Amino acid sequence: MEKFSVTLPLTGEYLTTVRLTTGGLCALVGFDVDAAEDYKVCVTESLLILKRNGFSSASIEFSVGEALGCRVVGAEENGEMENGLEEEISHALLSALVGDVSFVKKQEKIVEIAFVG
């Protein structure tokens, strides 16, 4: 199994770059177009969850093998948390698209999200 990781600011232009990179990794493990799109949505939603939980950057680690694993960890807290319906929608999307997703919380704040596709 190979690892691929990157740390990035949680801003729009970097989220686009992550989606493109994720699509390439999905192709490496043989995902079809629909599965790759679902996986890209999960990665993007994970980053948005961390942003809403007060992080200004995040680290992403992909595990590339027979499956594609993703671990997203918040970095550089800015303290500004947003609570609302968007958070619930993101959680529901992740659960529906990858099924087995884990959330690590510290003091009611999500700091890490992991899943395998």
Side-chain angles (χ1 to χ4, degrees):
M1 184 172 297
E2 297 177 336
K3 303 270 185 195
F4 177 83
S5 60
V6 63
T7 301
L8 65 146
L10 294 174
T11 59
E13 55 272 3
Y14 288 102
L15 295 180
T16 300
T17 302
V18 167
R19 286 184 60 81
L20 292 169
T21 302
T22 302
L25 294 171
C26 287
L28 281 176
V29 297
F31 284 15
D32 63 29
V33 173
D34 291 333
E37 188 58 37
D38 288 351
Y39 202 86
K40 289 188 290 186
V41 167
C42 290
V43 172
T44 303
E45 288 299 322
S46 296
L47 293 169
L48 291 172
I49 287 170
L50 292 175
K51 183 175 182 174
R52 287 192 301 267
N53 274 264
F55 293 98
S56 58
S57 66
S59 295
I60 306 171
E61 181 180 275
F62 293 99
S63 302
V64 183
E66 290 184 24
L68 182 59
C70 182
R71 183 174 164 256
V72 183
V73 180
E76 295 185 42
E77 292 185 55
N78 65 18
E80 299 175 25
M81 287 186 61
E82 300 174 26
N83 293 320
L85 185 59
E86 290 176 338
E87 191 76 9
E88 292 178 36
I89 292 170
S90 292
H91 284 255
L93 263 173
L94 286 168
S95 295
L97 295 175
V98 292
D100 189 23
V101 59
S102 65
F103 298 92
V104 176
K105 286 186 174 184
K106 287 187 182 173
Q107 301 172 356
E108 299 302 314
K109 179 185 275 196
I110 294 174
V111 297
E112 179 180 328
I113 301 162
F115 53 90
V116 177

